Amino acid sequence: MVEVTITVNGTSYTRKIHPLMRLLDFLRDELKLKGTKEGCGEGECGACTVIMDGRTINSCLVLAASCDGKEIITIEGVGGAELHPIQRAFLEVGAVQCGYCIPGMVLSTKALLDKNLDATEEEIKEAISGNLCRCTGYQKIVEGVKLAQTKMKESRGEACECGRS
Amino acid sequence: MKKRGVGYGAFFYGTGYGNGFPDESRAVIEITSSGRFNLYVGVSDVGSGGISVMQQIAQETLKTDGELINIIWNDTSLVLDTGTAAASRQTYNTGNAVKIACEKMRDRINEVIGEKELKTKEDVNEIYNLFLDKNIETRFEGYFKATTSQVNLETGQGNPYWPYTFGIEKAVVEVDTETGKVDVLEIVAAYDAGKIVNPAQAEGQIIGGASMGIGYAIMEEVIVNKGSIKNRSFSDYIIPTSMDMPKVTTYFVEKNEPTGPYGAKGLGEPAMLPTAPAILNAIYNAVGIRLTEFPATCERVLAAIKEKEQRDQEKRDNI
Ligand code: FES
Ligand code: FES
């Protein structure tokens, strides 16, 4: 057993875990955060995507023991009391069908837009290309990301105005 | 060299179990003291959107707001048999059962308050109390059975499916004659699935179907060896990613289906039917090869192009 301290969605957790435990199982089984999904378990589908220190990773390929001191964001930590603009945008355009890929899609989108709110359609498609979706054909997801860009820009604009006044 | 081609695929598809197989749906609508309706329906929904379709049909028939309808679904201790969410049958079949149940309810509502819309919980509650006063039932069941018959194999007569969904898709492809790689550049889809109940979902269904069709046409191949599947992971069974999807434009020809709920028909499976044939026809249009085996991988396309060149050469030599 090894002891790790991992910050997940802003809260720090210290746990004694098996050295071979995957981050995915740490999140789902130790912390009971079931929003992160397992699709393939071998780094191909992106269903298990989470953000680690600002970058997306496949949590099925990362050992929890190697995440000591890291900061993780899962789908549970994306919105606060209200849904995140990305989540609202996905709902508005109808980007969700079965929903299995969606936590990963939202996190890939968040990692992209946090860095580049002006991402082009090509950049958006590339950013979510590691997230397989069997249902939607991606088009409405891409539309959702574009709507999220608008929403996030608007709220950034409002925030600036508040700051000035 | 890269060559472009355009191809079309058209289909008609019989929805429902068909061939006289009992194709039955049941639904129950109940008015409650909480100021809301309960709709009991056995539609399973793993993303196909059946539940919101049922809610929309109930809301339209009851002349109320979707918020005032509580849906209880899939718990077999509570709901009646609705049949499977298969054969693209739920919108048509169960949609009809929901409509029939809600019509019975609305008829009684009309008796007590006339045609008035029910906009708030108070409105619904008022009806509930009136029903109790007047000793009117608070639960109504709807039952629908699709009318099909077995085909007589000698005469070819019969009505094996009802209704049929129709559609056509156009595909534009680019074929690289040096590598055999096929890129799908555009899909345009036009469907007659009767009245479209939920346009956003229906569009999503068609775009998703197109992506499966693209996978079917140029990527996805199950390789079986002595009964065991060889390519069992996403690294060797390739499905489309966001980078493989072209723009899909969707049109609906909303021809009323008189036997459907508000004229609607099924759309689930039909959504992936015409894409692959359209793509293969587009490949033919681009480079003149007819592929009879799926998927159109680089190897197959290249081999077929070589073969064609050889045939063309032989023809020229013979002249
Ligand atoms: S479950 Fe991790 S990539 Fe598929
Ligand atoms: S919505 Fe079903 S896999 Fe993406």
Side-chain angles (χ1 to χ4, degrees), chain A residues 95-102 132-136 141:
Chain A
V96 182
Q97 288 187 33
C98 81
Y100 205 81
C101 68
I102 298 298
L132 296 180
C133 175
R134 194 47 154 168
C135 304
T136 64
I141 293 180

Side-chain angles (χ1 to χ4, degrees), chain A residues 40 42 44-45 97-98 122 125-126 128-129 132-140, chain B residues 46-47 200 203-204 207-208 211-212 220 233-235 240-243 245 247-248:
Chain A
C40 62
E42 49 187 29
E44 301 287 357
C45 72
Q97 288 187 33
C98 81
E122 271 318 292
K125 282 187 165 187
E126 198 177 332
I128 60 165
S129 64
L132 296 180
C133 175
R134 194 47 154 168
C135 304
T136 64
Y138 308 100
Q139 190 161 307
K140 282 180 187 284
Chain B
V46 285
E203 245 178 56
I207 304 166
S211 88
M212 290 186 191
E220 298 178 33
S233 73
F234 288 127
S235 51
T241 73
S242 52
M243 302 294 279
M245 278 304 289
K247 169 121 185 77
V248 181

Side-chain angles (χ1 to χ4, degrees), chain A residues 105-130:
Chain A
M105 287 287 183
V106 169
L107 288 161
S108 289
T109 303
K110 180 170 162 38
L112 170 74
L113 298 187
D114 283 349
K115 277 195 206 97
N116 179 11
L117 199 45
D118 294 311
T120 61
E121 178 160 334
E122 271 318 292
E123 287 168 328
I124 294 170
K125 282 187 165 187
E126 198 177 332
I128 60 165
S129 64

